[in-house]
Amino acid sequence: MLLALCLVTLSGVLQLAAAVATITLVLVTGIESVLGLGPAIFLTAGALAALPAGRLMDRHGRVPVLLGGFAIGATGCLLTALGCVLDSAPLVVLGFLGVGGMNGAVLLARTAVADMYPESRKARAISYVLFGALFGAALGPIVFRPLFAGKELELDTLVVPWLAAAAMCAVGFILVLAIRPDPRTIAFELERKGLAPNVAPSTEPAAPLREILRRPGVPAAALAAVASLAVMASVMNLSGYIVVGHNHEQADVFTVISVHIVGMFGLVLVVGQLVDRVGRHRALVGGLVIMSISTVMLAWVVQIPALSLSLYLLGLGWNISYVAASAELVTHARPVERQGLVGFTDLVAGLTAASFALLGGVAYSELGVVALAVAATVAVLAPAILLTVRRPPRAVAAGAAG
């Protein structure tokens, strides 16, 4: 419950970042062509934070790193607010780095919960924590929409929302303080009781990352995790500008983003059980296909209900692929290896998402939304085809299904 509540607060802050990161940087620089740079900074910071955060979690426990993540996030929100007050691009960029760093660290809470469950229920365990982010979908509009309603979109308008986001980070910090014992301690106990079969004792040092990445099932899960997160995050972070570009009001962005987050997490409890039942490989492919339907829709939909449906499907497809990928990754890694492996995957996915956001911003500003939609569709459909052609051996696939 506490880990899920951490994602409630994280989701609320990320809604603000997704909705106004592009606008904030464009306003503070006065350069419209940098519309993809805000999300790129945010995503790059999250990616670069994920790997060291994961390794620190494996060495020192999950709780200290989650605390540090929320502290860095609160600082980032305050710096962004100050940058808006002073019209300072460097301060806004530093703030984005802090918020992105928090995302990279705190998002690892989704796999920290897997420490507490046996292999056959890891997907469901991950879904329990991700479900918390659904309430963040409601938290964003409740907190932020009134702060923008009826106001011109100026730098002064952005100050109070970023201060409110800092307060959310402080709440997350307090929640983490209540987590006892550390989930890593529970994982060690499960190993001692023999509930984690297929892994070596925790007294053995962690295997090299390159060796872990070659284990059966890991490459496919890593590919799906990277493709799904990169496309989802880049499109989500550009969606605010897409909505405004269709001549809708800034307040409407929160409606679209909220529906998107409902897609990401609304059915996550069902998805977790479904993944454990039908098999993770099928779920990896199915989620990517749903995402491709969503991104194709962006080429022609204009009205808010249709845009909301597109972003809903984007979130739902990501949900299915990412839960399956996360469960598969933690299944093939020991407690002293898990967060490092997931952190590495998040690193690659985040850097890819940042690149997609930059390229997508250029494609949108120069060629229009159709070019962005086509590129995003190719980015998720190609891995789905590859995973379909190169299915895992029957024995491995059966084991992965739990």
Side-chain angles (χ1 to χ4, degrees):
M1 286 296 297
L2 290 168
L3 289 168
L5 288 171
C6 288
L7 287 200
V8 172
T9 57
L10 177 65
S11 177
V13 176
L14 294 186
Q15 268 208 76
L16 179 66
V20 302
T22 53
I23 305 297
T24 302
L25 200 59
V26 168
L27 287 176
V28 82
T29 61
I31 306 172
E32 185 175 352
S33 60
V34 302
L35 64 93
L37 183 58
I41 294 170
F42 169 74
L43 294 167
T44 300
L48 295 177
L51 181 57
R55 287 180 170 172
L56 286 172
M57 280 186 171
D58 286 338
R59 293 176 185 173
H60 304 293
R62 316 322 188 197
V63 168
V65 178
L66 293 175
L67 287 173
F70 276 119
I72 292 171
T75 303
C77 292
L78 292 174
L79 286 173
T80 303
L82 183 60
C84 292
V85 171
L86 302 178
D87 196 2
S88 170
L91 284 177
V92 168
V93 170
L94 284 175
F96 283 2
L97 290 173
V99 176
M102 172 188 66
N103 183 50
V106 176
L107 193 56
L108 292 173
R110 75 189 189 279
T111 46
V113 71
D115 290 334
M116 301 185 285
Y117 288 80
E119 179 179 339
S120 61
R121 297 185 62 202
K122 288 191 185 299
R124 270 169 282 188
I126 292 170
S127 73
Y128 298 153
V129 169
L130 288 177
F131 186 66
L134 173 64
F135 296 94
L139 185 64
I142 291 173
V143 174
F144 296 121
R145 190 180 180 98
L147 300 179
F148 286 97
K151 296 182 179 179
E152 293 292 330
L153 195 58
E154 304 289 345
L155 281 176
D156 290 345
T157 309
L158 296 170
V159 175
V160 174
W162 283 110
L163 291 176
M168 288 186 186
C169 296
V171 172
F173 186 92
I174 295 171
L175 290 169
V176 176
L177 287 174
I179 297 176
R180 294 291 184 274
D182 194 293
R184 189 182 69 150
T185 302
I186 299 174
F188 289 158
E189 184 64 16
L190 286 176
E191 277 192 355
R192 188 185 66 80
K193 292 179 178 179
L195 297 179
N198 307 325
V199 295
S202 296
T203 53
E204 294 293 326
L209 182 59
R210 61 182 178 276
E211 177 183 319
I212 301 172
L213 290 170
R214 288 197 296 265
R215 293 173 183 170
V218 172
L223 175 62
V226 169
S228 60
L229 180 61
V231 173
M232 184 278 294
S234 57
V235 172
M236 179 186 71
N237 279 279
L238 290 170
S239 62
Y241 218 87
I242 292 172
V243 171
V244 174
H246 285 311
N247 299 317
H248 299 294
E249 296 183 1
Q250 179 64 34
D252 291 325
V253 176
F254 289 99
T255 300
V256 175
I257 295 296
S258 295
V259 173
H260 169 66
I261 295 180
V262 170
M264 291 174 67
F265 305 112
L267 296 176
V268 69
L269 296 180
V270 176
V271 168
Q273 296 184 51
L274 181 67
V275 169
D276 280 337
R277 183 169 301 175
V278 306
R280 295 166 193 165
H281 189 83
R282 291 193 187 101
L284 296 177
V285 175
L288 292 174
V289 171
I290 293 173
M291 290 183 70
S292 70
I293 296 171
S294 159
T295 52
V296 163
M297 288 179 62
L298 286 176
W300 75 83
V301 298
V302 174
Q303 298 303 319
I304 292 298
L307 288 168
S308 297
L309 175 61
S310 173
L311 268 291
Y312 175 85
L313 292 175
L314 182 73
L316 178 62
W318 169 85
N319 182 350
I320 296 170
S321 285
Y322 209 63
V323 168
S326 298
E328 186 77 342
L329 290 172
V330 298
T331 294
H332 296 293
R334 295 157 42 219
V336 292
E337 299 170 341
R338 285 174 186 161
Q339 301 301 331
L341 174 60
V342 174
F344 173 78
T345 305
D346 285 358
L347 166 65
V348 177
L351 291 178
T352 306
S355 301
F356 284 0
L358 278 174
L359 295 174
V362 173
Y364 177 80
S365 60
E366 298 295 329
L367 302 174
V369 70
V370 173
L372 174 64
V374 170
T377 301
V378 172
V380 287
L381 199 54
I385 294 172
L386 179 61
L387 291 176
T388 301
V389 172
R390 302 187 62 180
R391 294 184 61 84
R394 184 175 300 273
V396 174

